[in-house]
Amino acid sequence: MIENSSNYVIPPNSTGDGLTRVVSGRDHRGAVQEIPVVEERPLTIFLNGQEIVTAMTIGDYPAYLALGFLRNQGMLAAGESVLGVDYDEELETVVVRTDGSTIYEEKLKKKTRTSGCAVGTVFGDMMEGLDQVELPKAELRTSWLYTLARQINQTPSLYLAAGAIHGSVLCQEDRPLVYMEDVGRHNAVDKIAGWMLSEQVEGGDKIMYTTGRLTSEMVIKCALMGIPVLVSRSGFTAWGVEIAQQVGLTLIGRMRGKRFMCLSGADRMIWDADPDHVAEDKGKRRSGHE
């Protein structure tokens, strides 16, 4: 690895206890192999006295996940103060306590199963609140994209150790800041949202880098977090592109090596890096097995 995780505010939790389990099997030649596989465990999120959802997660940063999930679902009202976040590892629950009331019976009845991994769920109307979103017209330099991709792809991570996981990275210009992973890309983004809420970090000058597909709900979450740029190694959906164009979000996908596609916000990009003179990015190199 040419990069390390020391420059991150929160690096990927690549060696956390209990995140993987060693399982024995046989490979294509019939030889016995032991490989690490990612753990999954349920986490039930309560808002005050009301049970909201049970999510499948790898189990790290439960408080950030709970806060970010509630924020991205519009269940934490503007001006509502979070009084505490209590995690019970034995009961696998997180209780978020606020100074507001919790009455979401109708919203809880309106669930939309999303296209995300680990059965992502969106409550209520997906477009609710988007008409008030005003994203800053943030510039994006192509040199930042190439630097970020190289650093992120070569950072030791749980993905490199075990695969079968998604990552999301909050970045500022050409510096990756917070790297979260989970079995579902929604969980990874929600953890970042929870960290931003806890640390009172604004999104207007940030970039979200994700390994997942650029679907409608991913664009919506990013926009509601106030982040004006969303980048992925994966592809797009048409509705995701349409919403990005509607809210003024710069949307870049299929970023592999020196290539990428921008389907929204290209007028805000500064093309300051010649791909012919950019060092080849060999991408993620997995030390174990997929």
Side-chain angles (χ1 to χ4, degrees), residues 41-246:
R41 51 180 56 87
L43 180 70
T44 301
I45 299 171
F46 286 80
L47 178 56
N48 297 318
Q50 184 167 352
E51 180 178 341
I52 302 298
V53 73
T54 296
M56 297 306 297
T57 174
I58 60 175
D60 67 343
Y61 302 109
Y64 288 155
L65 175 57
L67 280 174
F69 177 86
L70 294 172
R71 178 194 181 193
N72 284 338
Q73 300 300 332
M75 293 183 173
L76 295 178
E80 187 174 2
S81 297
V82 175
L83 303 179
V85 182
D86 301 314
Y87 171 56
D88 190 310
E89 183 176 4
E90 183 176 349
L91 296 178
E92 298 177 318
T93 60
V94 175
V95 179
V96 177
R97 294 178 288 105
T98 73
D99 61 356
S101 59
T102 303
I103 307 174
Y104 287 117
E105 285 81 0
E106 289 302 316
K107 194 166 189 175
L108 289 170
K109 292 177 183 177
K110 297 167 63 180
K111 293 184 181 180
T112 301
R113 181 169 294 183
T114 72
S115 58
C117 300
V119 193
T121 301
V122 171
F123 293 98
D125 298 321
M126 290 182 65
M127 305 296 288
E128 184 179 346
L130 276 185
D131 53 347
Q132 280 86 42
V133 170
E134 292 186 15
L135 294 175
K137 298 185 182 299
E139 71 174 32
L140 175 65
R141 295 179 177 270
T142 57
S143 60
W144 298 348
L145 290 176
Y146 290 126
T147 299
L148 287 172
R150 184 174 64 254
Q151 292 183 23
I152 292 169
N153 290 346
Q154 297 182 10
T155 297
S157 64
L158 196 58
Y159 173 80
L160 284 175
I165 201 164
H166 283 288
S168 292
V169 188
L170 184 69
C171 311
Q172 186 172 21
E173 295 185 352
D174 61 354
R175 181 191 173 201
L177 302 175
V178 175
Y179 193 144
M180 295 291 186
E181 295 180 283
D182 214 304
V183 287
R185 65 186 187 277
H186 298 281
N187 289 351
V189 171
D190 286 342
K191 289 176 187 176
I192 290 176
W195 176 82
M196 293 174 67
L197 182 61
S198 296
E199 301 299 319
Q200 298 183 342
V201 173
E202 297 296 326
D205 60 345
K206 304 299 189 298
I207 299 168
M208 182 72 78
Y209 182 103
T210 179
T211 61
R213 301 181 303 278
L214 298 174
T215 57
S216 57
E217 67 275 9
M218 289 293 286
V219 171
I220 291 171
K221 283 192 175 189
C222 198
L224 292 177
M225 291 164 68
I227 298 174
V229 181
L230 178 57
V231 182
S232 176
R233 297 175 69 239
S234 297
F236 314 81
T237 67
W239 196 18
V241 173
E242 182 179 334
I243 294 172
Q245 293 172 344
Q246 172 187 326

